[in-house]
Each structure stands twice: as C-alpha cells, then as structure tokens.
Amino acid sequence: MKIQIGGKTIKYNSGRLISAIIGFVILSQVGEIMAGVLVAPTIVFLSDKNRTGRMTIQNPTNTPKEVFVGISFGLPQSDSLGNVTLVLQDSGVTDPRSAMNWVKAFPRKVIIPPNGSQIVRLAANPPPNLPDGEYWAQIVVRSQEGELTVPQANEAEKITTRLNMVMQTAIRLKYRTGKLVSELALTKATARLMNSKVLVMVDLANNGNVSYVGKMKCRLLDIDKKEISSNQVDLAVYRSLKRKIELDTEKGRVPYRVELTISNEGRNDIPPEAMIPGNKIEYAMKVE
C-alpha cells in the first residue's frame, strides 16, 4: 500500500512501515506559517559590537506546538541551469566563514501554548583573532504539526500507525567583525532567445568579505532601443553563483539587446543599517 503525505510517498507493506520521508519546507518571508508557527525576523545580524540577538516564534493556532531550535550551516548553491537551492549541514563543515560551532540558541526546545509566543536568544562566542568579514550560520526551526493516522494494510492485520508531521524552516544568521567589504564580479553573461522568451544566464563571484545582497534587473530592448519587457530577481551571493532570469518577448518585435544592472538598491526586506554598500554592475549584451 502507498499513501501520500506532504507530497512524498510512504510505502506500507504487511503492516510494517518500510520508509517515511517527511517533506521540509523552507520559507523566507515574515508572516508565513511554518507548521502553524510564525518566525521573525528572517535574518539575524550579530557583530563584534553586539554578540547577542533574538528572534520570536509565535503559535497562532489553538493547539500547543513543540518547537526545536538548532544551528546548522548552509549557503545558496546553484546548478548549471541557474536553479538555486539551500543544503543544510549539521557536521563536517570546513568553510572558514562558518559560525555554526560558536553560535548558540536558548532555549533549544520549547512547547509554545496556543496563541502564545517564545523569544529565542542567540549568542556568539567567536574564536580569538577572527579575520575581518562576515560569518554565517542557519538557525533551523522545526515544529510538530500534529499526528496523522496511517491506514491499516488490510482488515486482517488490524495495524494502525500514527506519524508526526515535522516541518522545518531556516533563518539566516550573519556575524560581522572588523572592516567589511562588499564587492561582486560579473564573470560571464549570455542572453539567448528560446521559444517565446529570452533567457539570461549570469555567473557571479563574490570578491568581498561579506555576502553581496542586492537585486539583478534586466531590460529587453528591440533594435530601436525601445523596451520590450523587464524583470528582476533578488540576489544573495556568498561565494560564486549562477542566476537566471527570463524576459518576455512581444510578437512583431525582434529582441535585440539586454541591459543588465546589479546593485544593492531595492532590498526593502533588509533594514538600511544592516546593508553593506557594494559596487554597482552595468552590462549590455546582444541576444543570440
């Protein structure tokens, strides 16, 4: 027998649970519900001047929620198609910019009552003589969503299993010390006409000592330099990253040129005092 839970298949054979994979959901916006729990803010900033911080977990439901808080490491990674994913590591981290081992969360386990909230405090204890720059970790919040009854395999076996649905979200943590430099390099860019869209692929490299946070904007122009369409995406470049952006075409107008701009402007989701100003990139290319 097979059943679907959270979009994943669970095999159920002869009354025994062979395997169960519970899907994890990564959320990035304040106010979105993660397993019935709200988490804010979505980024925590610590520094050599203020080594402590806090975040709030709210339970807006009518049932208690058991919540676990841990510290992991993970950076956005991209594949050859420009798709970006976040892979979390709990051990074996060798990145010199990892803060996972010296940032702690208190409390790490709590039961939040219905319509209640819990403040989680964060404290950094970095090693001595830490080089200038930004160090990273992910605050992982797991919440029990409740129990689900798995149907019995058949009437003869009379077996019923209950599963806890567990959801997960990751909140970015950045620790900053010393002189901070935000600098991004554009190493490659192409614009190709594919069916009814122009696909822009961009390779980026972080040459600073902090993550480069900003927006990438593209304008598609015709041969008369008149705009056909435009699009933009948020950027967060920690090491190197490949990003893609699609631009709509218009019947009767030949796409000729793409103008690309990358800057720190327009990120209203980050407090101005937390932004590290960086360089601006402007680039133009013909559509192939």
Side-chain angles (χ1 to χ4, degrees), residues 103-173:
V103 171
K104 305 298 180 184
F106 308 95
R108 294 189 299 172
K109 179 181 178 181
V110 64
I111 295 178
I112 304 179
N115 301 303
S117 64
Q118 173 69 47
I119 292 176
V120 175
R121 302 188 184 279
L122 301 146
N125 185 24
N129 303 317
L130 197 65
D132 291 355
E134 191 175 72
Y135 296 80
W136 310 306
Q138 298 283 345
I139 309 165
V140 180
V141 180
R142 294 184 178 93
S143 173
Q144 301 278 3
E145 194 179 46
E147 292 186 333
L148 174 71
T149 300
V150 178
Q152 57 193 36
N154 56 56
E155 288 297 322
E157 292 169 340
K158 302 294 184 183
I159 295 176
T160 300
T161 301
R162 297 184 72 85
L163 297 178
N164 282 326
M165 293 295 289
V166 179
M167 303 294 280
Q168 173 174 294
T169 188
I171 305 299
R172 287 166 289 173
L173 182 142

Side-chain angles (χ1 to χ4, degrees), residues 231-242:
N231 200 358
Q232 63 182 18
V233 295
D234 289 345
L235 279 182
V237 184
Y238 291 77
R239 296 297 188 191
S240 60
L241 201 69
K242 180 186 288 288

Side-chain angles (χ1 to χ4, degrees), residues 186-246:
L186 175 65
T187 59
K188 184 179 179 181
T190 60
R192 292 188 173 92
L193 179 62
M194 301 183 67
N195 299 321
S196 61
K197 294 183 180 294
V198 170
L199 179 63
V200 179
M201 299 289 289
V202 176
D203 289 345
L204 303 165
N206 187 350
N207 291 339
N209 63 5
V210 303
S211 53
Y212 185 98
V213 177
K215 280 184 176 290
M216 180 172 72
K217 303 178 181 180
C218 289
R219 298 174 65 231
L220 178 61
L221 309 178
D222 62 18
I223 197 167
D224 297 320
K225 298 183 180 181
K226 294 182 179 179
E227 183 176 303
I228 298 175
S229 65
S230 64
N231 200 358
Q232 63 182 18
V233 295
D234 289 345
L235 279 182
V237 184
Y238 291 77
R239 296 297 188 191
S240 60
L241 201 69
K242 180 186 288 288
R243 289 304 307 265
K244 67 178 178 181
I245 190 167
E246 293 183 344

Side-chain angles (χ1 to χ4, degrees), residues 72-78 83-89 93-99 134-138 170 172-174 206 210-211 236-241:
S72 295
F73 182 78
L75 300 179
Q77 301 176 6
S78 56
N83 300 309
V84 179
T85 57
L86 176 67
V87 179
L88 296 177
Q89 293 178 261
V93 177
T94 59
D95 194 305
R97 292 288 175 180
S98 171
E134 191 175 72
Y135 296 80
W136 310 306
Q138 298 283 345
R172 287 166 289 173
L173 182 142
K174 299 182 178 184
N206 187 350
V210 303
S211 53
V237 184
Y238 291 77
R239 296 297 188 191
S240 60
L241 201 69

